[in-house]
Amino acid sequence: MSDLVLYDDELDEDCYRARLALALCGVTARLHAIDVTMAREQDASSFRALSPAGRLPALQGVTGTGDLPAICGAAAVLRAVAVLAGPASGWAPVDTGEAASVAHWLSFAEYELAAARRLRRLALFGPSADDCDTQTSTPTHAALRVMEDHMTLRRISGRSWFVGDRPTIADIALFPSFALCRDYGLSHDDYPALRRWQTCVKGLPGFIAMPGVPEYG
Amino acid sequence: MTEQEQHAPEEVDAHGWRPVALGLDLPPASVTGARIGEQRLAIWRNSHGDVRASDDRCPHRGMRLSLGFVRDDMLACLYHGWRFDAEGRCRTIPAHPGLKPAATIRTTTFPTIESDGLIWCRVDGVEPPESPPALTSPAHPTTPVRTIRIDAPTRSVSRALGISPDDRTARVNLPIHDIADTPDDNAPTPSDAAAMSAVTVVVVQHAVGREETRLYVLIEGDAPTTTIQRASRWASSLRDKVEREHKDAIVVEHV
Ligand code: FES
């Protein structure tokens, strides 16, 4: 019997990545809300004991085969969830090439899409100490364009997903930044290939929404 | 919208049929936003494939209908779920399920036509007497490639395409001998290679704003997947080139 806990902040984009991965991969975890507003629980020593950098999301608990040490950050949680789901779930990479491409897009989601996460945080919650005041949407546009160009070529060759013939954690890692870009005023209209892909993601069994991501569309 | 945009000195041409989407980018039961001049539009398709255009403003609280979704062949507003039929009449108000909405609750609709792989719309109020410009002869159907946004004025795009700014359509001969970045099982044999050495790419421009142009890219006639991909990559590099040159031009102006 496994018993997993996801340390979570409902409005955080990276935490949504983790919740979406758990839901789509069919892995059950209890949610433990971390109040990052007034209480700043991410800095509490109890949470730092588990996530030393105070990073959310964090996944920890007991799996069927033993203890799961604390896994911190969206990319790590996504990989862990795909492994926990097991090979039969269809979410673990099938071969080396696919694993490498998934790694490529996970790294893209972490670095290139960091600008998108910053923009959204700024639009929703205002500036924080680590934001410089010259935020522009240019790097975010550039990142979404790379995704749009890729998915246009994929659409032309009759594919629906970022990698291979079925959804992978690459799709889960990339989806929230596109789905949430309306939060900071970017429109989906300029990204028809990503819109088409978004509809496919929303149609996956187990899909869950979050504030800012409508269930339909 | 900024004030500067509102008083744009450069008039965006809003007359006649304007392209608002590539047909394939609007699957059944979906909606997208578009713009012709100052008119913002929600372009939507019902489950039978028919395309409609509506003012992108919900009569309830003014939210954008293009952010909504299509249900039961009606355009539904994301915010409180009011639904509008093909003629723009409100048919359902979820908060008052028993109520039959008054006939006066409606959105403005605009005529649309789908032809040559493109969805065209007109907002100038002229009863549509003529058809949209034919892109190719009926004997040569087009193969749609993609839509691409360029952050530069239409005149910069026209210059790069080598057409006059008034020409909205460009035809570009694209050599396809260098397509083979991925080996293709259906690669032409040397004998048809000569015949297939170039394809005609049809580029339809639409000025979305002063600094924003949308291109609809198609190929004349049928084309294999590799050629369509090649045309898509060509469009990406055209975009990057035009934007770079436009940026450089702005820098020069300010020096
Ligand atoms: S704003 Fe459209 S239904 Fe309320």
Side-chain angles (χ1 to χ4, degrees):
Chain A
M1 209 20 221
S2 69
D3 181 22
L4 297 168
V5 180
L6 181 77
Y7 295 86
D8 176 54
D9 164 22
E10 195 196 3
L11 294 180
D12 179 78
E13 185 176 324
D14 272 337
C15 290
Y16 176 51
R17 287 185 164 85
R19 292 194 304 273
L20 184 60
L22 289 164
L24 291 174
C25 300
V27 175
T28 314
R30 287 182 287 128
L31 296 185
H32 181 118
I34 295 293
D35 180 357
V36 299
T37 57
M38 293 303 265
R40 292 197 66 84
E41 283 174 3
Q42 75 275 30
D43 296 332
S45 51
S46 55
F47 184 67
R48 290 285 175 141
L50 191 119
S51 178
R55 189 128 160 241
L56 283 165
L59 182 70
Q60 195 204 26
V62 188
T63 71
T65 52
D67 280 355
L68 182 76
I71 310 287
C72 312
V77 170
L78 259 53
R79 283 171 194 272
V81 169
V83 173
L84 288 171
S89 71
W91 284 93
V94 284
D95 58 38
T96 325
E98 193 180 298
S101 297
V102 168
H104 165 86
W105 286 111
L106 286 184
S107 142
F108 184 91
E110 265 192 293
Y111 295 97
E112 273 77 4
L113 290 177
R117 284 188 290 275
R118 253 196 320 272
L119 266 190
R120 174 170 174 273
R121 215 182 48 220
L122 204 60
L124 295 189
F125 311 112
S128 72
D130 54 341
D131 287 312
C132 51
D133 47 9
T134 54
Q135 288 289 337
T136 72
S137 59
T138 315
T140 304
H141 256 307
L144 291 177
R145 259 179 187 191
V146 170
M147 291 165 60
E148 171 71 13
D149 282 0
H150 176 75
M151 286 313 283
T152 300
L153 293 172
R154 300 283 292 166
R155 188 257 299 150
I156 293 170
S157 53
R159 310 296 176 97
S160 306
W161 309 102
F162 267 80
V163 177
D165 291 326
R166 40 185 198 105
T168 63
I169 52 171
D171 298 290
I172 302 177
L174 298 165
F175 175 80
S177 294
F178 179 65
L180 289 165
C181 76
R182 287 167 170 172
D183 276 356
Y184 46 90
L186 289 195
S187 152
H188 287 170
D189 299 343
D190 292 315
Y191 307 100
L194 295 181
R195 258 193 3 236
R196 172 186 291 265
W197 162 72
Q198 168 175 257
T199 308
C200 295
V201 175
K202 288 185 177 179
L204 286 172
F207 176 81
I208 51 166
M210 78 166 269
V213 180
E215 204 105 21
Y216 318 111
Chain B
M1 189 185 297
T2 66
E3 265 200 66
Q4 196 187 9
E5 269 173 352
Q6 266 171 9
H7 303 116
E10 216 170 307
E11 188 113 323
V12 174
D13 191 358
H15 298 289
W17 290 102
R18 307 299 302 133
V20 287
L22 216 52
L24 70 76
D25 285 334
L26 191 67
S30 70
V31 55
T32 187
R35 198 173 144 182
I36 303 179
E38 293 303 312
Q39 179 66 55
R40 287 180 182 276
L41 298 160
I43 311 288
W44 61 284
R45 196 193 284 282
N46 69 18
S47 61
H48 308 290
D50 310 319
V51 177
R52 312 285 177 192
S54 149
D55 181 22
D56 197 5
R57 203 175 174 285
C58 179
H60 181 217
R61 297 263 177 90
M63 297 310 205
R64 291 182 58 185
L65 287 170
S66 62
L67 302 180
F69 51 94
V70 175
R71 273 298 169 283
D72 301 332
D73 293 334
M74 288 187 278
L75 177 59
C77 179
L78 184 61
Y79 294 90
H80 316 95
W82 289 24
R83 291 186 187 182
F84 303 89
D85 68 12
E87 279 70 50
R89 254 193 79 174
C90 180
R91 292 295 179 180
T92 310
I93 296 179
H96 303 280
L99 185 92
K100 194 164 171 282
T104 47
I105 308 181
R106 57 183 311 130
T107 68
T108 310
T109 57
F110 300 94
T112 58
I113 285 184
E114 194 164 5
S115 82
D116 284 325
L118 276 171
I119 296 167
W120 305 80
C121 178
R122 64 187 304 165
V123 299
D124 52 10
V126 177
E127 267 308 296
E130 86 279 29
S131 323
L135 296 178
T136 54
S137 72
H140 293 97
T142 51
T143 302
V145 176
R146 70 178 298 188
T147 307
I148 194 161
R149 166 186 163 153
I150 301 185
D151 290 326
T154 305
R155 65 184 141 76
S156 308
V157 182
S158 300
R159 198 181 309 128
L161 286 168
I163 58 172
S164 104
D166 303 328
D167 279 339
R168 288 159 174 171
T169 304
R171 306 176 107 66
V172 180
N173 255 8
L174 190 66
I176 55 165
H177 48 78
D178 54 341
I179 54 168
D181 24 21
T182 51
D184 179 11
D185 294 340
N186 307 317
T189 56
S191 61
D192 15 273
M196 289 190 53
S197 61
V199 288
T200 303
V201 176
V202 181
V203 183
V204 186
Q205 300 193 60
H206 177 61
V208 178
R210 287 202 308 157
E211 294 282 323
E212 188 185 326
T213 305
R214 217 187 244 203
L215 299 187
Y216 301 99
V217 184
L218 308 103
I219 290 174
E220 210 168 73
D222 284 332
T225 303
T226 45
T227 305
I228 307 173
Q229 290 185 325
R230 161 89 176 107
S232 174
R233 288 201 190 89
W234 169 83
S236 302
S237 33
L238 174 76
R239 170 195 66 201
D240 298 347
K241 176 175 170 260
V242 171
E243 290 185 353
R244 212 166 33 237
E245 287 174 358
H246 178 57
K247 241 202 232 134
D248 291 350
I250 293 176
V251 172
V252 170
E253 264 169 41
H254 286 80
V255 167

